[in-house]
Amino acid sequence: MTIGFFDSGIGGLTVLEESLRRLPAQDYVYMADTLHVPYGTKPQEDVRNYILEAVGTMMQEGLEALVVACNTATSIAVNELRERYDIPIVGMEPAVKPAVEMNRATGKRVLVFATPLTLSLPKYYALVSRVDEGGIVDSLPLPELVHYCEALQFDRDVMGAYFREKLADYDLDRYGIVVLGCTHYPYYRSILRELLPPHIGIVDGNAGTIRRLASLLSRYSVMAGRGSGQVKFMCTGREPAYIDKMQTALQWLRNHHR
């Protein structure tokens, strides 16, 4: 079967990489909305229109399932996509619930890294309100991080300095978990692991998303894979250079998988 993965840029490749390892007998189409990346600093209604148009193009590839591999896009458009298309559609949300559950016994706080748009949306507020009974969740917008990632800026000195500046006002002894609330952010997991105190765990929603995908495929009786892990890359800007960048970024993830 053919499974689609959609994101504004290369962030969703962190989710695709998880799926390629767990569900290797499928084929994949990956679409990046390169005309409009990043989403996290743009108006909500504009982003909604970008998503619907790009996914409409993807559907011409004969998708049998879709992963909206972007927290912001999920918040804005996943319900409308499910109304439009009669295939399994999996969205994402920041892994706040498992982080809170993991931290409950420690008395430590949870710090969520996310884009400004994700943090401003009612869906994020509702998520935190639902799971954060003890008021232990803090949120840190990182508007520049998607730009760094899209530029393939993974230099440890440059990015270490960036994270140290962003965290300068936080007493990290009070925190037990950092949540990577944007699919671009796991590219920086190893840099954060070196930077953060060893007692702080780092979580993202990628593994849970792919477990959910596998469960839905099984329920729809389309689990039996006929593919070979082939990935077709697409982007709204139709730039060959960006296709090359996606291939490079996916290979980087495979080489650096924890």
Side-chain angles (χ1 to χ4, degrees):
M1 68 176 301
T2 301
I3 304 172
F5 278 72
F6 171 77
D7 186 31
S8 60
I10 64 171
L13 293 173
T14 65
V15 196
L16 175 62
E17 190 266 343
E18 187 86 25
S19 194
L20 284 166
R21 285 187 297 105
R22 292 174 180 262
L23 302 171
Q26 314 295 342
D27 287 329
Y28 296 91
V29 172
Y30 185 93
M31 167 72 88
D33 188 9
T34 50
L35 286 177
H36 306 110
V37 65
Y39 283 168
T41 55
K42 290 184 169 61
Q44 178 177 342
E45 188 57 28
D46 290 351
V47 172
R48 173 187 165 277
N49 291 331
Y50 303 151
I51 296 163
L52 296 177
E53 182 175 353
V55 171
T57 300
M58 290 182 75
M59 287 298 173
Q60 298 172 23
E61 299 295 318
L63 302 185
E64 296 165 86
L66 173 68
V67 177
V68 183
C70 171
N71 293 284
T72 299
T74 296
S75 295
I76 290 173
V78 75
N79 290 336
E80 189 162 351
L81 290 171
R82 286 173 177 149
E83 291 172 2
R84 287 191 179 198
Y85 303 110
D86 189 24
I87 62 172
I89 297 179
V90 179
M92 298 194 69
E93 65 181 17
V96 178
K97 182 178 180 181
V100 168
E101 291 173 348
M102 293 162 66
N103 254 20
R104 187 164 282 136
T106 69
K108 299 283 190 181
R109 300 186 66 77
V110 172
L111 184 58
V112 181
F113 294 174
T115 67
L117 183 52
T118 288
L119 296 178
S120 73
L121 292 170
K123 186 168 183 178
Y124 177 76
Y125 177 79
L127 168 65
V128 174
S129 299
R130 187 172 71 250
V131 304
D132 184 24
E133 297 171 357
I136 64 169
V137 175
D138 297 319
S139 305
L140 176 60
L142 296 175
E144 306 88 359
L145 197 52
V146 170
H147 290 284
Y148 278 126
C149 186
E150 288 291 321
L152 302 182
Q153 175 55 272
F154 304 134
D155 182 88
R156 282 180 139 64
D157 292 336
V158 172
M159 299 313 302
Y162 170 79
F163 285 117
R164 278 191 290 272
E165 178 188 349
K166 290 295 182 179
L167 293 167
D169 295 334
Y170 289 83
D171 178 2
L172 295 179
D173 288 339
R174 300 178 63 214
Y175 292 90
I177 291 183
V178 162
V179 177
L180 304 181
C182 169
T183 55
H184 283 79
Y185 296 177
Y187 284 94
Y188 299 101
R189 178 184 288 271
S190 62
I191 293 175
L192 285 165
R193 185 64 284 158
E194 292 178 1
L195 188 71
L196 294 170
H199 73 270
I200 294 183
I202 303 173
V203 301
D204 61 53
N206 293 358
T209 299
I210 301 308
R211 283 195 299 271
R212 173 68 176 156
L213 172 63
S215 173
L216 278 176
L217 297 184
S218 178
R219 185 187 309 171
Y220 279 74
S221 300
V222 291
M223 190 63 193
R226 304 180 300 277
S228 58
Q230 175 183 325
V231 181
K232 176 178 181 178
F233 291 101
M234 303 172 66
C235 58
T236 53
R238 303 181 185 277
E239 313 104 306
Y242 201 90
I243 300 292
D244 292 341
K245 178 193 283 192
M246 289 191 283
Q247 293 170 335
T248 298
L250 181 58
Q251 190 58 52
W252 188 94
L253 286 167
R254 290 178 137 173
N255 292 341
H256 290 78
H257 180 78
R258 57 194 180 278

